[in-house]
Each structure stands twice: as C-alpha cells, then as structure tokens.
Amino acid sequence: MQSKRISQAIAFTLFKLMSYAVIVILVLILGFIISRGIGVINWEFLTAAPEEGMTKGGIFPAIVGTFYLIIGSSLFSFPIGIMSGIYMNEYATDNKLASFIRIMTNNLSGVPSVVFGLFGMALFVNTLGFGDSILAGSLTLGLLSLPLVIRTTEESLKAIDNSFREGSLALGATKLQTIQKVVLPMAFPNIITGLILSIGRVSGETAPILFTVAAYFLPKLPNSIFDQVMALPYHLYVISTSGTDIESSRAMAYGTAFVLISIILIINILASVLRNYFAKKVKMN
Amino acid sequence: MLTIDAKNVDFYYSEFHALKNINLEVEKNKVVALIGPSGCGKSTFLRLLNRMNDLIDGTRMTGSVLIEGKDIYAPGIRVDELRKEVGMVFQKPNPFPKSIFENVAYGLRVNGISDKNFIEERVVQSIKSAALWDEVKDKLNKSAFALSGGQQQRLCIARTLAISPKVVLMDEPASALDPISTAKIEELIYELKKDYTIMIVTHNMQQASRVSDKTAYFYLGEMIEYDDTIKIFTNPKELSTQNYITGRFG
Ligand SMILES: Nc1ncnc2c1ncn2[C@@H]1O[C@H](COP(=O)(O)OP(=O)(O)O)[C@@H](O)[C@H]1O
Ligand SMILES: [Mg+2]
C-alpha cells in the first residue's frame, strides 16, 4: 500500500518536473530572442527596406514576401489537402487508393524540407519555367505542407462519431449533404487548427524557398507572382551568415527572428481562438 | 398491402452468415418487437429495412425486402428516397450539434424543402408528436446538446417524424435512458402506432409485451418464432423462445 503511494508520488513529481522543464526551455528561447531583438524593433524596422548592406533599415520586403508565400502556398495546399482528406476518410475508407495515398503522405511528411526545395527548383523553376518566383516558392511550400493538411483533415473527420453520419443519412440526406451539413461543421474547429499550424510551419521554412523564390537582397516589393521576394527565414539566414558585415547586422538578425517568432506565435494564438470560437458555434446552432 | 415484406433474406458480413432465411411480414400501423439475445441479428435485420447496412463494406444480401410492395433492393432504387419512407431512431441519442429547431428541420431541408412556414409548422407538429413540446417550446433555438438523454432521444424521434416516414425503425431506443424517460418513449410508441408502422428492437421483455402487437424472436441469425405478442409471451411454440422470455438464458 505504502510503496504504491510512493511510486505514485514519484511518477507524478517526475511528470510535473518534465513539463516545467519544457516551459523553462521555451521561456529561455523566447526570452533570449526577445531581449536581443526587441531593441531594433521600431516603426522603421517593420516598414522600411534593408539598407547599407542590410546592416541598417528594415525588413519590410521580407515580411511582405513571407506573407505572400503563406497566402500562395495555402491557396495551393488547402483545397487539395482538404479535399483529399475528405475523400480518404469519407469515401474511400477501405480501398487501395486511399491506403496508398496515406502511405505516400506519411512518407512525404518525413522528407527533409531541403529535398522539397530541390524538387521545387527542378519542377517549378526549371521544367515548368516559372523561374525563381512567388509562384514556384508557393507551390513548393504548398507541397511541403500538403501532408500535414491532408492528415489534419483526415484525423479531424475521423474524430467525428459515425452515429452523426448515420443519423443524417437515415433522414434521407445524401452523403455529400451529410458531409457538408453535419460532418464538416463538426470537424471544422480541428481542421482550422491544423491549417493554421501548417501556416506556421510554412512561414518558418528556409530550405524550400532557397532555390525557388527567395531573394538575397531585393528592396522593392513584387509586382506579380512571377517575381522573386525576400522572406523572413531566408533573410535571417543571410544576415546571420553572409552579410557584408555580420557583426553589425547581428541586432538586425535578432530583430528578424523576433518578428518571425511573433508571427508564428500570433498564428498559434489565432488558431486556438478560432478553434474555441468555432467549437462553441458548432454546439450552438 | 403489406407494409414490410421480407422474403428469404440471407445476410452476410464478409464470410459471416448473420441472417438466415428470414421471412417476416408486417401489416400497416402495427408495432413489431424484435427480441433475442445479443448478437442474434436484430440490428442487422432492422438496418436492412432502410439499407443502412449498405454503409458497411463487404456485406451481401440475398432474398428480397418489399416496403409497401416495392422491392427496396431493386436496381435503380434511390437509397435517400427510401430512407425518407423508412425512418430510423438509434440506440444512442444522436442529435446534431445544431439548435433544437434545426435538428428537426434538418430532414426537411436536405430533402429540398425551403418554404419557411411549412418547415416551421412541421417542426412544431413533429416535436408535439414526439411528446417533447412542453419541455422545449421556449428554447427551440438552444443547442440540442443541452437536453437530457431522454429529451434528446425524443428529439431524434421528432426529427424522424418530420420527414413523414411510413415506417419507423427503432433500435433499442430506450436502452440508454432512465426508467421515466423509458416510460415516456413507450407511451409515445403507443401513440405513434396510429400513424406509423413501427419495428422496435428491445432487450426489455416487459417493454416488448407492453408496446408491440407482434413479436419476432431471433436466435443465432434465424427467426425462430414470429407471432402475436400475446401468444409469444403466454404460449410460445418453441422451447427456445420460452427459455428466452422466461429469462432462462440470454
Ligand atoms: N459491421 C459488422 N461487421 C461484422 N460483423 C458484424 C457487424 N455488425 C454485426 N456483426 C455481427 O453480426 C451478428 C449480429 O449482430 P447484430 O445484428 O448487431 O446483433 P443484435 O442487434 O441482435 O445484438 C453478430 O454476431 C455481430 O458480431
Ligand atoms: Mg443490436
């Protein structure tokens, strides 16, 4: 009896300590970036182009570029990913094609992102002739996030109890109506969380944009989807490793990291807010 | 004309022979109870009548099922049309995460009805028929999830009635409910019999004898006996039936 209680207490303490450790690590990383980066954050930094070998000025083109890449890759990966997720969970539960897609997506999500970059360069930049462009970068990033989008959609749909589908079908609803009016609204809070998290992933990736879109230094904004852009993660890489004067652009690097982390943090907060909002809404109407 | 007429029905889950040569006829506005030990095929049979088993991969049926003279397994039959005629209430209440009103309106909307007045009238009438009106009339726009289990089940019955089916199938509709809710459902079945033909699966012998006109006893995929409920419960022909209803097994 006594020893059971003790091992119980030890296990509990251990779990608690570990989760505290995680928090500490997270706070350390954030604190480090914030304390070093916050000094350079001001209006100019957020709204001006880089100047003087990227040791001065701001990162506005990189923010805009990242923003475009998020939109572009989402336009590509969301519709395709959501529709294949729906197909796999709702239509092809037991067939060979679905399990083949499932195996492929699982493998795809394990492929290093630099490989996506290389593939994107070969296919979009060269073969299809898009050149280094927002289009090529978006498609490459979209490919990268596709497995995540498919998987979240599938998992979210799987979590919906079959009794709701049967209830709808038993009332004479078609399968499509059932999916549209019952299943998707219920799965929506979870799907949207997954989508937003995939945006977080996309906004932080460097390797896939390296050979497909990212400009080393391009102080003006793009005019079309065939233009190159700067992007935050690549900009951070550039000014940390190969700027004209690495030491004096250090502060800019931390500032850029700070902005990037903030964006991802905001995206994550947005995800949980939206999730709660839609979860409530689904229950209410 | 018979409302339900199952002829020589055999049913398989892949290799498993779940129903064996079932022949069962039901007249209009009767209540038929299906009884028998767990796993004997009651739900399987019920789900054949609105082709719910179509949703399960690897199933196979032979024989025929006629609803009001129409072979529901004939080629060209639209399953969604069939399910409007043959409604189903499930064991576990499964209202949609929508308002009480929208739950009942759902079946109408998916069947292409958009006349607001008609929908409203039909929703109110269905909720009344399901003996739920007094409890929900002030909160039709509240979530159906806020209702108790018993209320949810009556809401599911209202939802089924709203599309005016000819047959209502109920698979142990009260098994997840408390005695008071169960009594309400039973009363309701008695009322509904005037307008619908009902087939109900139940594990509760009292319930079967109280609500049904006829009772079918299933055992290991076979229909052992099918007769007037009074006969089944007072003077069954088969020993197996007698053993089951007197609680000697099952
Ligand atoms: N989806 C299924 N796949 C395979 N076998 C099933 C499935 N559903 C039911 N069965 C089997 O068919 C038999 C009859 O099941 P069921 O009709 O649910 O019985 P009851 O409703 O009388 O308890 C059982 O042996 C059960 O294991
Ligand atoms: Mg059953």
Side-chain angles (χ1 to χ4, degrees), chain B:
Chain B
M1 188 174 28
L2 292 166
T3 301
I4 302 172
D5 185 4
K7 291 184 197 156
N8 306 324
V9 170
D10 280 84
F11 184 84
Y12 304 81
Y13 290 106
S14 303
E15 298 306 306
F16 179 66
H17 198 169
L19 291 174
K20 296 165 190 163
N21 195 32
I22 308 292
N23 286 278
L24 186 150
E25 302 177 346
V26 182
E27 285 156 28
K28 195 166 159 47
N29 295 12
K30 295 285 182 218
V31 178
V32 173
L34 303 186
I35 61 170
S38 286
C40 67
K42 306 180 296 292
S43 299
T44 304
F45 182 72
L46 207 64
R47 292 164 60 92
L48 275 178
L49 303 182
N50 65 344
R51 293 190 52 171
M52 224 48 180
N53 287 333
D54 290 13
L55 303 174
I56 303 168
D57 288 319
T59 58
R60 191 160 57 84
M61 189 200 92
T62 61
S64 65
V65 178
L66 311 187
I67 303 275
E68 297 206 318
K70 207 163 61 185
D71 182 353
I72 61 167
Y73 282 89
I77 288 284
R78 282 188 53 183
V79 197
D80 48 334
E81 296 294 328
L82 164 70
R83 290 179 186 147
K84 278 196 289 187
E85 307 283 304
V86 186
M88 179 169 238
V89 177
F90 297 82
Q91 180 168 2
K92 214 176 100 234
N94 57 351
F96 304 125
K98 299 174 185 289
S99 69
I100 292 170
F101 185 95
E102 282 307 320
N103 260 278
V104 184
Y106 181 85
L108 301 170
R109 295 197 198 285
V110 296
N111 287 301
I113 296 169
S114 54
D115 181 337
K116 248 183 110 186
N117 292 331
F118 178 85
I119 291 180
E120 201 167 318
E121 221 167 87
R122 184 62 76 73
V123 167
V124 172
Q125 179 199 329
S126 307
I127 296 178
K128 282 181 177 160
S129 305
L132 186 63
W133 180 249
D134 290 336
E135 291 154 75
V136 303
K137 62 173 185 280
D138 300 322
K139 45 181 181 182
L140 293 177
N141 292 318
K142 291 269 163 58
S143 168
F145 285 5
L147 298 174
S148 74
Q151 291 172 328
Q152 287 187 3
Q153 194 61 305
R154 276 176 286 146
L155 182 68
C156 291
I157 294 175
R159 185 172 81 175
T160 303
L161 301 184
I163 50 171
S164 329
K166 300 202 171 75
V167 178
V168 177
L169 309 171
M170 300 184 169
D171 196 347
E172 303 186 42
S175 69
L177 306 180
D178 61 90
I180 292 173
S181 306
T182 304
K184 281 196 179 146
I185 303 261
E186 284 182 18
E187 247 172 70
L188 180 56
I189 293 171
Y190 204 78
E191 283 298 312
L192 294 179
K193 189 175 124 164
K194 292 180 196 135
D195 300 308
Y196 306 91
T197 306
I198 298 173
M199 188 171 281
I200 176 173
V201 173
T202 178
H203 274 293
N204 181 327
M205 291 307 110
Q206 281 80 32
Q207 188 170 73
S209 63
R210 273 195 301 260
V211 303
S212 67
D213 302 303
K214 292 189 134 198
T215 297
Y217 171 64
F218 280 64
Y219 182 60
L220 295 179
E222 288 182 72
M223 191 172 78
I224 305 294
E225 194 167 352
Y226 176 49
D227 213 329
D228 290 341
T229 297
I230 295 189
K231 272 206 194 129
I232 294 277
F233 280 91
T234 54
N235 191 16
K237 288 197 197 78
E238 303 291 331
L239 184 64
S240 165
T241 315
Q242 178 156 16
N243 285 342
Y244 181 72
I245 58 171
T246 53
R248 257 173 279 226
F249 78 93

Side-chain angles (χ1 to χ4, degrees), chain A residues 84-257:
Chain A
S84 18
I86 293 175
Y87 174 75
M88 282 159 64
N89 198 64
E90 303 295 321
Y91 287 93
T93 43
D94 206 29
N95 78 18
K96 295 227 161 59
L97 178 63
S99 48
F100 181 68
I101 300 177
R102 207 165 287 129
I103 292 169
M104 291 315 280
T105 47
N106 283 345
N107 286 334
L108 215 56
S109 58
V111 172
S113 57
V114 66
V115 176
F116 278 95
L118 206 62
F119 175 76
M121 179 176 71
L123 181 64
F124 303 125
V125 177
N126 297 332
T127 309
L128 295 176
F130 298 151
D132 275 357
S133 61
I134 296 178
L135 183 59
S138 296
L139 291 172
T140 309
L141 285 171
L143 276 186
L144 177 89
S145 63
L146 205 49
L148 190 61
V149 175
I150 294 177
R151 192 105 62 88
T152 1
T153 306
E154 210 191 345
E155 294 299 323
S156 309
L157 294 174
K158 202 173 283 163
I160 307 301
D161 200 286
N162 232 351
S163 67
F164 294 107
R165 294 183 183 86
E166 292 197 334
S168 168
L169 293 169
L171 291 168
T174 61
K175 198 161 182 165
L176 184 62
Q177 286 173 325
T178 301
I179 293 170
Q180 279 176 337
K181 291 168 189 268
V182 175
V183 180
L184 274 183
M186 290 182 80
F188 197 62
N190 282 333
I191 293 180
I192 199 133
T193 313
L195 296 185
I196 295 178
L197 292 179
S198 86
I199 288 180
R201 170 96 198 269
V202 159
S203 58
E205 279 294 342
T206 316
I209 58 176
L210 201 58
F211 325 123
T212 56
V213 51
Y216 178 83
F217 175 70
L218 187 69
K220 67 177 182 54
L221 298 182
N223 292 321
S224 81
I225 56 170
F226 295 104
D227 285 351
Q228 273 190 284
V229 281
M230 297 180 77
L232 287 170
Y234 182 58
H235 184 63
L236 177 58
Y237 169 75
V238 165
I239 57 181
S240 313
T241 57
S242 58
T244 46
D245 183 356
I246 292 178
E247 276 317 308
S248 55
S249 57
R250 215 33 120 198
M252 305 289 285
Y254 284 116
T256 307

